[in-house]
Structures are given as structure tokens and as C-alpha cells.
Amino acid sequence: MQSDIKKRIYKAQCIGNIEPIEYMMPYPSMRSLIEGQVINNSKRIVNKKENIDYSKFHCLIQQCANWLTDKNYIYKERIILPKLNSFQTEVLIYAIWEIGAIAVISKTSISKNLMKIHGIKEISLGKNDLFHTIKTYPKMYNPQYKPLLSDEAILTFEKGPGIRLSHYNLLINVNGIDKAIRTSEAESYCCDLNTRTIDWVIFKAILPIYSNLMTIDENPDIKIGNLNADFNIRYDLKNYNTFKGNDIAMCVENSGAIAVGRQPIHLTSFKIKEKHLKLNGHSVMMGYLDAKLNTKVFKDNSLYVSI
């Protein structure tokens, strides 16, 4: 990436005089998030349906990481995240991060040419169950590379152009959501969103772990969904003036949420002008894969997204 574009992206990621990474997270990467919860809450249930606590969750991630390594997946590779059975997708995405690789999500199939250009690989399980596949692998994994906050964690094609998001992008976005919806007042949680979107990554894979919430299917303290939930996901930013207090405004280029109700999440600032969203803050993406597109949207010390 050209140095001029890097500077533009960096300017957009600043909010006031607070520079990105300057606001220190309690976790240096996504893999450290799991390690921290194991240390503090090893026997606490993560997923009630599967009866998995943090200790077992961590072991499954370690086994899956060993399996990925055995299949010759390596750090900093981009790996397409398939849709698996209940809770298996969550284990797999953390295992991808555990080996220092990047999870790729897309609503549609990615062309072979695009995969070749950007070093994207597929995972083939066939009809096999992930948990059955990894059960003979060791429950301890020795990583060859430990990802940094600034490293790429997600590459998503859900809007068409590839959007690159770092570990810091994801964690700071979840941190802002956590503060806004007051998860400290809750014990249980439910979320049913599409696996191939950033809202699944934020609200299904990361938030319940970050906020130490037990995922259950019925009568949760907090339910997040697309309609008739405690908090509803909305991408129709052109109608932002009509958003209610429990609507969560979403923008993929901001790693997930930009606001809960009419209040921007922590370390995000934005303005909506006609057909554009002007964004600044620590959740602002690392950039598009398309360098020419980056030159168009990063300008005047901000990121401009069409809505």
C-alpha cells in the first residue's frame, strides 16, 4: 500500500487527538481474548446448548489450530470461513486467529482468480463434523506467530469490494458496543445472524466472549437480531433519522457498529450528508483491497462511504 494512502487511512482512524492503538485494549489480539477468559472464568459456560465452558472452548480452539497447521495452513494466510453446525464456526474462526491467519467472509462464492491474486484458501471438511475431525489432535497449540493488534483479522466481501479489518478494529468496535448496550447488567445472550457478515463476527463470535455472556436460545437477558429483538441491527443509514434507541447502526467499513440509537459508539465519530457517511475513529477499516478505491474514499482526513 502506498505511503500516501497509509497516511490518509491513519488520519481517518484518528478521533480528535486520540490516535489508533493509543487507546489501549485489555487484550493484544483476538487469541489473547480467549486466553484471558480461560484464566479468569475457566468453568463458566460459554454456550449452554453445547454445554461448553471456557476451558473446553479453549481446548477445541487449540485442537482446531493443530488441525489447521497439519493441513498446511499458516500464519497471515487468508482462509475462507465456511458455515458449520452450531458453535463450530465460532471455534474455527478463533482457531484461524490462533494460528495468526485471517478469516475471509463472503455472502457469495469468491472467484478462483481473486483467490489466487489475494492468497485466499478454502477449508474442505466435506460432510465431516469439525469436532469429530479434530478430536484426536492435541489440546495444546504452540503458535509460530502471535498476531498483533494492527494485523489483519478479517477480510470481508459482503459488500462486494474486499474490506480489510484488523484485530484492533474488531476489539475497539466491540468495546464500544459493550459500553453502549450495558452488557455488565446481563448474564445471558442470544444472537441469530448470518455467518457470512461482519455483524455475525461482532455480535455472535466476539461480543459474548468479550462481555463474558452465556449464549442461550431462550429467554436471554439480551437478544440481538434483525427485527423484534432487544437491539436490532440496521444498515439503512439513509433512514438514520428514524432510528430508535434500540437500533444499532451498522457500517462494514467501520468494522461493525457506528452507533446505538442516536449515540455514536465510543471512539467513533460520523456525520451523514446526503448520500454519504463521513467517518472517523479507531474502528475505521484498514482499507479496501482495491488501492484505487482507497484513493477515492479516504480524503480530507476522513473516510467517506456511500449510503
Side-chain angles (χ1 to χ4, degrees):
M1 189 178 290
Q2 297 177 357
S3 59
D4 177 59
I5 293 300
K6 284 185 177 181
K7 290 178 181 178
R8 290 200 218 174
I9 293 172
Y10 187 81
K11 289 290 186 180
Q13 290 172 336
C14 294
I15 181 167
N17 61 355
I18 306 175
E19 300 179 14
I21 312 297
E22 183 180 314
Y23 184 85
M24 296 305 295
M25 294 298 303
Y27 307 104
S29 70
M30 218 62 68
R31 65 180 299 277
S32 300
L33 171 60
I34 298 297
E35 291 179 349
Q37 292 294 27
V38 170
I39 292 170
N40 297 316
N41 305 288
S42 63
K43 297 303 178 183
R44 181 172 172 82
I45 296 296
V46 180
N47 186 288
K48 186 175 182 180
K49 181 180 180 180
E50 301 293 330
N51 194 31
I52 294 176
D53 60 22
Y54 278 108
S55 180
K56 185 176 180 180
F57 186 31
H58 183 255
C59 287
L60 288 168
I61 293 168
Q62 301 289 293
Q63 288 178 296
C64 192
N66 279 306
W67 172 71
L68 288 170
T69 301
D70 186 47
K71 297 300 178 182
N72 296 317
Y73 296 101
I74 62 173
Y75 60 90
K76 295 196 175 183
E77 267 187 336
R78 291 166 169 157
I79 304 171
I80 296 175
L81 186 71
K83 186 176 182 179
L84 305 175
N85 293 331
S86 176
F87 206 61
Q88 295 187 14
T89 316
E90 286 92 321
V91 169
L92 179 56
I93 194 170
Y94 277 101
I96 289 171
W97 290 330
E98 180 70 23
I99 69 171
I102 299 144
V104 180
I105 55 178
S106 179
K107 292 180 179 179
T108 59
S109 60
I110 302 171
S111 71
K112 296 295 183 183
N113 184 53
L114 200 62
M115 289 174 63
K116 184 178 180 181
I117 293 172
H118 297 293
I120 299 170
K121 291 187 175 182
E122 292 181 287
I123 289 178
S124 179
L125 275 170
K127 296 181 180 180
N128 296 327
D129 178 273
L130 178 65
F131 290 169
H132 176 78
T133 301
I134 67 175
K135 69 178 183 179
T136 60
Y137 283 85
K139 295 181 179 179
M140 289 297 293
Y141 174 74
N142 184 25
Q144 296 180 347
Y145 178 80
K146 295 181 180 180
L148 305 174
L149 276 173
S150 57
D151 282 352
E152 184 178 324
I154 289 286
L155 173 61
T156 174
F157 291 92
E158 63 196 87
K159 287 186 66 176
I163 295 172
R164 302 170 60 233
L165 306 173
S166 70
H167 288 266
Y168 184 74
N169 284 153
L170 300 177
L171 283 168
I172 206 69
N173 198 266
V174 168
N175 176 269
I177 295 166
D178 175 78
K179 293 176 184 294
I181 68 175
R182 300 179 181 178
T183 61
S184 61
E185 300 174 7
E187 289 285 332
S188 59
Y189 178 84
C190 179
C191 171
D192 185 17
L193 296 168
N194 192 314
T195 310
R196 296 176 175 87
T197 58
I198 192 61
D199 49 41
W200 178 88
V201 176
I202 294 295
F203 293 102
K204 186 78 169 181
I206 306 176
L207 181 64
I209 306 300
Y210 184 92
S211 304
N212 196 19
L213 297 170
M214 177 177 63
T215 299
I216 63 175
D217 292 335
E218 297 180 359
N219 301 316
D221 293 330
I222 297 177
K223 182 177 181 179
I224 293 181
N226 291 309
L227 189 65
N228 298 325
D230 296 311
F231 293 95
N232 299 302
I233 302 298
R234 293 185 62 174
Y235 283 91
D236 57 326
L237 298 181
K238 61 184 178 182
N239 300 317
Y240 182 65
N241 287 335
T242 70
F243 280 27
K244 298 178 181 178
N246 66 334
D247 287 333
I248 300 178
M250 299 289 292
C251 175
V252 183
E253 288 89 346
N254 199 57
S255 311
I258 63 169
V260 176
R262 305 300 301 281
Q263 183 66 37
I265 64 168
H266 187 51
L267 292 176
T268 286
S269 172
F270 68 91
K271 292 181 179 179
I272 296 176
K273 294 183 177 180
E274 297 179 351
K275 297 181 180 180
H276 289 91
L277 171 71
K278 179 185 178 183
L279 265 172
N280 284 89
H282 293 200
S283 293
V284 167
M285 65 177 178
M286 299 174 74
Y288 293 110
L289 284 179
D290 187 340
K292 291 183 179 178
L293 191 53
N294 285 329
T295 61
K296 293 180 180 179
V297 299
F298 286 100
K299 54 187 178 182
D300 302 328
N301 296 332
S302 299
L303 167 63
Y304 288 81
V305 179
S306 296
I307 58 172

